[in-house]
Amino acid sequence: MSNIRDVAKQANVAPSTVSLVLNKTGYVSAEIRKRVNKAIEELNYTPNELGRNLSQKRSNIVGVTMYDITHPFCNTLVKYIELYLSEYGYKTMLCCTSFGRNTEREYLYMLKRHALDGIIANVFSANEPIETDRPLVLIDSFINENIPIVMSDHHQEGRLAASLFIENGCKHVVHLTVNKVMKSPAYERNNVLEQILNGNGIRTDAIELSNHSRELNYFSNMSKLLFDRYPDVDGIFGSEIFICECLKQAKIRKIRVPDDLKMVACDGTYLSELNDITAIVQPFKKIAKKSVDIVVGLAAGEQISAETFEFKASVLKGKTTAV
Amino acid sequence: MSNIRDVAKQANVAPSTVSLVLNKTGYVSAEIRKRVNKAIEELNYTPNELGRNLSQKRSNIVGVTMYDITHPFCNTLVKYIELYLSEYGYKTMLCCTSFGRNTEREYLYMLKRHALDGIIANVFSANEPIETDRPLVLIDSFINENIPIVMSDHHQEGRLAASLFIENGCKHVVHLTVNKVMKSPAYERNNVLEQILNGNGIRTDAIELSNHSRELNYFSNMSKLLFDRYPDVDGIFGSEIFICECLKQAKIRKIRVPDDLKMVACDGTYLSELNDITAIVQPFKKIAKKSVDIVVGLAAGEQISAETFEFKASVLKGKTTAV
DNA sequence: GTGAAAGCGCTAACAG
DNA sequence: CTGTTAGCGCTTTCAC
């Protein structure tokens, strides 16, 4: 493994000159450039990123923390985050927090240790207070007033969902909510939905998601429970996976969708599209882009105020609603 | 930002002693340890990973290259790879190759530059010859004899699928194949399926996937094409997403599943489970574990022969087959 | 047991 | 324009 000094020696120049040639920063005469490139070729030299990282005090890596990468919401987001980060020359470190590993602290620590230049975090379970002066942006999460947040307009999501159920003439809507302990801003959509529907004389019931389990099995059981507990339900609002399970359950119970039961899913990823589910579609690209812009900006030393950035959602009409 | 020297000065010891305390390597007297820890506390010192990386010539990061993280096959694999890597103390860098970015070379280059300690790669499009003496393992891909490969037993997958169609009494099976240009080892399952079915007097037709597009839209069109071209099809074998599209198409055309049409999907991720699709389930955990073991072993300098490691698949019975 | 010193490979400030 | 020099922060012999 030859290093930059070997190349310099071989080409009869200084290491810094080799560096200049490599990074195309600053001017180097054509002749010297040729000599350096020849030496690089001869020695089969490859610059070592680790040295550069230390010297520049940056890793060019941004961590993206997500609960579970198999969840459509997560992987759709990650897909675009990775794309946009790569446009800035940043690499994406995947930081999963499932499997009962309490890994969020660890990633935060990596940020502190400069192994990461920044973090884009979803589902930060802030059990302990978080203080960091390093680049951090949250998606759909809240820790404190000092950390910027990016998310879809959950208030509007609630309104869109409510409109759908009203237009479809539902009388009794059951909605799945995230666990309140998480204090997720996403809870707002359920609040708004409930409020509007009740205001229109429509009965609503909420089923609260457990704090931990996200297994398919769990959702399957929840869907059974829903139909058992509310036999006259004619509208369901919940996550895509849950709606999928409800679709199966409805088929088993011979409940016709959308004739006798309308369903609306949140998030609206490929899973809704694939199953023809009516959904409130989150503006994934915009959320990803904004998060990336913020974290990259912060990493570049820009002063970015810790605002909350919201983007409008839209409706995907599928076959789980009549109108 | 204080460094290890500041801490040493504060504690009246040498930097190397601080290092010993931090890494719990070697013996340090209780008193000195206490002094060092006090200094660390006082200065709010956090070790800088970049310095350590350079010194140790390793990044503790393994790259995982995948075509598209939203694909169930990819994210299921990545989920377990991330888990197993973390058990070895490695971090996962997500390397996506979609969006028309030709990023595989780039990741390989990162490996060379020691920004990555190893790569677990799926779908390496080896346009150019690949030579690397650094840790690299392939999943479901082939480049040359010198790189270890991990995958499910595609031959057996083909046999399992064939059995299903035979047991279900199919007469005309259409199967979706990966593009032959890719030379994917996964093609074997289609070969075997065809061979066995034909041997049993069952007609087969193949539809070859385009080399690039993986949009839902594309699969939707392919499913229409399939039914248009083969109106008497009574068995379909293909990727989960394709089978989902075929399910939709069958419903539109009022073809009863599984009464008049049986379908079997490959991979068998949560998507099959969620949609009650009969599928050939890949041993994701085993594939992930083996890949991780190999790449970690190689990174540790172990001599690992470039074999092909295959693991048995299994069948998930869903509602797209009768038996 | 602990400290001094050298080095990992690269970059950047500053002369010349 | 190019070379010299001095780090970046940590680890690791090797003396003491």
Side-chain angles (χ1 to χ4, degrees):
Chain A
M1 219 49 247
S2 50
N3 64 24
I4 202 170
R5 254 179 289 266
D6 298 331
V7 175
K9 204 171 290 174
Q10 176 93 352
N12 251 311
V13 297
S16 56
T17 306
V18 178
S19 177
L20 288 185
V21 172
L22 285 173
N23 301 302
K24 305 191 198 318
T25 156
Y27 192 89
V28 179
S29 75
E31 201 230 309
I32 295 231
R33 179 189 313 278
K34 202 193 294 176
R35 243 166 50 206
V36 168
N37 283 325
K38 182 157 161 279
I40 289 177
E41 187 97 6
E42 284 171 1
L43 296 175
N44 190 23
Y45 165 75
T46 313
N48 183 314
E49 191 94 6
L50 269 24
R52 169 184 302 197
N53 284 350
L54 174 58
S55 176
Q56 297 191 148
K57 300 190 183 196
R58 59 205 299 258
S59 63
N60 291 302
I61 300 174
V62 168
V64 182
T65 80
M66 291 281 157
Y67 178 73
D68 182 344
I69 192 66
T70 63
H71 279 28
F73 172 81
C74 294
N75 57 49
T76 302
L77 216 40
V78 168
K79 170 173 176 167
Y80 293 114
I81 289 176
E82 193 272 343
L83 172 66
Y84 296 131
L85 278 177
S86 79
E87 289 175 353
Y88 282 111
Y90 279 97
K91 301 301 173 188
T92 302
M93 174 166 295
L94 183 64
C95 309
C96 296
T97 57
S98 58
F99 291 117
R101 300 170 299 171
N102 189 13
T103 38
E104 295 189 331
R105 291 262 125 209
E106 193 185 327
Y107 296 129
L108 218 51
Y109 190 52
M110 291 182 64
L111 181 63
K112 237 182 153 179
R113 284 178 308 182
H114 292 257
L116 296 178
D117 287 350
I119 288 186
I120 297 175
N122 178 40
V123 196
F124 236 85
S125 46
N127 310 311
E128 311 152 55
I130 287 184
E131 27 63 52
T132 178
D133 51 347
R134 306 223 54 220
L136 171 61
V137 51
L138 300 175
I139 294 180
D140 253 348
S141 324
F142 177 81
I143 295 180
N144 64 48
E145 318 291 345
N146 305 316
I147 306 170
I149 299 174
V150 182
M151 56 189 186
S152 76
D153 184 338
H154 294 304
H155 199 283
Q156 181 226 9
E157 287 185 331
R159 295 197 305 271
L160 289 175
S163 298
L164 281 167
F165 288 115
I166 293 172
E167 287 167 18
N168 275 275
C170 293
K171 294 292 165 225
H172 181 192
V173 174
V174 178
H175 58 120
L176 195 73
T177 77
V178 292
N179 192 279
K180 289 180 190 168
V181 175
M182 295 298 286
K183 289 185 187 275
S184 166
Y187 192 77
E188 179 70 6
R189 56 187 171 211
N190 293 285
N191 272 339
V192 172
L193 174 69
E194 204 164 67
Q195 205 176 311
I196 299 183
L197 291 185
N198 292 346
N200 279 264
I202 297 171
R203 174 178 168 198
T204 59
D205 283 294
I207 292 184
E208 191 176 335
L209 215 52
S210 122
N211 198 3
H212 294 102
S213 182
R214 292 288 184 284
E215 301 300 312
L216 286 191
N217 200 12
Y218 172 74
F219 287 102
S220 169
N221 288 332
M222 291 299 271
S223 72
K224 285 177 201 152
L225 181 145
L226 186 154
F227 287 105
D228 286 344
R229 190 182 292 174
Y230 308 108
D232 67 339
V233 59
D234 65 357
I236 300 179
F237 179 68
S239 70
E240 296 176 297
I241 290 184
F242 182 67
I243 297 296
C244 284
E245 291 292 353
C246 287
L247 267 172
K248 282 158 68 170
Q249 204 49 228
K251 194 182 273 180
I252 291 172
R253 297 176 188 232
K254 310 245 189 279
I255 301 173
R256 292 175 308 164
V257 177
D259 306 348
D260 306 325
L261 172 66
K262 333 285 180 195
M263 300 200 269
V264 178
C266 14
D267 300 350
T269 69
Y270 58 93
L271 196 54
S272 289
E273 213 176 322
L274 210 50
N275 290 290
D276 271 338
I277 295 171
T278 295
I280 310 299
V281 182
Q282 295 215 28
F284 289 103
K285 288 190 186 182
K286 286 179 186 163
I287 293 176
K289 179 71 173 130
K290 190 67 185 179
S291 312
V292 166
D293 283 348
I294 292 177
V295 86
V296 167
L298 288 172
E302 287 170 27
Q303 217 57 31
I304 294 177
S305 64
E307 293 173 56
T308 294
F309 302 89
E310 290 180 310
F311 296 95
K312 294 293 177 208
S314 57
V315 170
L316 169 74
K317 294 252 176 151
K319 295 188 174 152
T320 57
T321 49
V323 188
Chain B
M1 218 49 247
S2 50
N3 64 23
I4 202 169
R5 254 180 290 268
D6 298 331
V7 175
K9 204 171 290 173
Q10 176 94 353
N12 252 311
V13 297
S16 55
T17 306
V18 177
S19 177
L20 288 186
V21 172
L22 284 173
N23 301 302
K24 304 191 201 316
T25 156
Y27 190 89
V28 179
S29 75
E31 200 230 309
I32 295 230
R33 180 189 312 278
K34 201 194 294 178
R35 241 164 55 203
V36 168
N37 283 325
K38 181 155 163 281
I40 289 177
E41 188 97 6
E42 285 171 2
L43 295 175
N44 190 21
Y45 166 74
T46 313
N48 183 315
E49 191 95 5
L50 269 25
R52 169 183 301 196
N53 283 351
L54 175 58
S55 177
Q56 298 190 149
K57 299 188 182 196
R58 60 205 299 258
S59 64
N60 291 301
I61 300 173
V62 168
V64 182
T65 80
M66 292 280 157
Y67 178 72
D68 182 344
I69 193 66
T70 63
H71 280 27
F73 171 82
C74 294
N75 57 51
T76 302
L77 215 41
V78 168
K79 170 174 176 166
Y80 293 114
I81 289 176
E82 194 272 342
L83 172 66
Y84 296 131
L85 278 177
S86 79
E87 289 176 353
Y88 282 111
Y90 279 97
K91 302 299 175 190
T92 302
M93 175 165 295
L94 183 64
C95 309
C96 295
T97 57
S98 58
F99 291 116
R101 301 170 299 172
N102 190 13
T103 38
E104 295 190 330
R105 291 263 124 210
E106 194 184 325
Y107 297 129
L108 219 51
Y109 191 51
M110 290 182 65
L111 182 63
K112 238 181 151 178
R113 285 178 306 181
H114 292 257
L116 296 177
D117 287 349
I119 288 185
I120 298 176
N122 178 42
V123 197
F124 237 86
S125 48
N127 309 312
E128 312 152 53
I130 286 185
E131 27 64 52
T132 177
D133 50 349
R134 307 225 52 220
L136 172 60
V137 51
L138 299 175
I139 294 180
D140 254 348
S141 323
F142 177 81
I143 295 180
N144 64 47
E145 319 290 344
N146 305 316
I147 305 170
I149 299 173
V150 182
M151 57 188 185
S152 75
D153 184 339
H154 294 304
H155 200 282
Q156 182 226 8
E157 287 185 331
R159 295 198 304 272
L160 289 175
S163 298
L164 281 167
F165 287 116
I166 293 172
E167 287 167 18
N168 276 276
C170 293
K171 294 292 163 225
H172 182 194
V173 174
V174 178
H175 58 120
L176 196 72
T177 77
V178 292
N179 193 279
K180 289 180 190 168
V181 175
M182 294 298 286
K183 289 187 188 275
S184 166
Y187 193 77
E188 181 69 6
R189 57 188 171 210
N190 293 284
N191 272 339
V192 172
L193 174 70
E194 204 164 68
Q195 206 176 312
I196 298 182
L197 291 185
N198 292 347
N200 279 266
I202 297 170
R203 175 180 166 196
T204 60
D205 282 293
I207 292 185
E208 191 175 335
L209 216 52
S210 122
N211 198 4
H212 293 102
S213 182
R214 292 289 183 283
E215 301 301 312
L216 286 192
N217 199 13
Y218 173 72
F219 287 103
S220 169
N221 288 332
M222 291 300 271
S223 71
K224 285 177 201 152
L225 181 146
L226 186 154
F227 287 105
D228 287 343
R229 190 183 293 174
Y230 308 108
D232 67 339
V233 58
D234 64 357
I236 300 179
F237 179 68
S239 70
E240 296 176 296
I241 290 183
F242 182 67
I243 298 296
C244 284
E245 292 292 353
C246 288
L247 267 171
K248 281 159 67 172
Q249 203 51 227
K251 192 182 274 181
I252 291 172
R253 296 174 188 234
K254 309 245 189 281
I255 301 173
R256 292 175 307 164
V257 177
D259 307 347
D260 306 325
L261 173 65
K262 333 284 180 195
M263 301 201 267
V264 178
C266 14
D267 301 350
T269 68
Y270 58 92
L271 196 55
S272 290
E273 214 177 321
L274 209 51
N275 290 291
D276 271 337
I277 295 170
T278 295
I280 310 299
V281 182
Q282 294 215 29
F284 288 104
K285 288 191 186 181
K286 286 179 186 164
I287 293 175
K289 178 72 173 132
K290 189 69 185 179
S291 312
V292 166
D293 283 348
I294 292 176
V295 86
V296 167
L298 288 172
E302 288 171 26
Q303 217 55 34
I304 294 176
S305 65
E307 294 173 56
T308 294
F309 302 89
E310 291 180 309
F311 296 95
K312 295 293 177 205
S314 56
V315 171
L316 167 75
K317 293 254 176 149
K319 296 189 173 152
T320 56
T321 49
V323 188

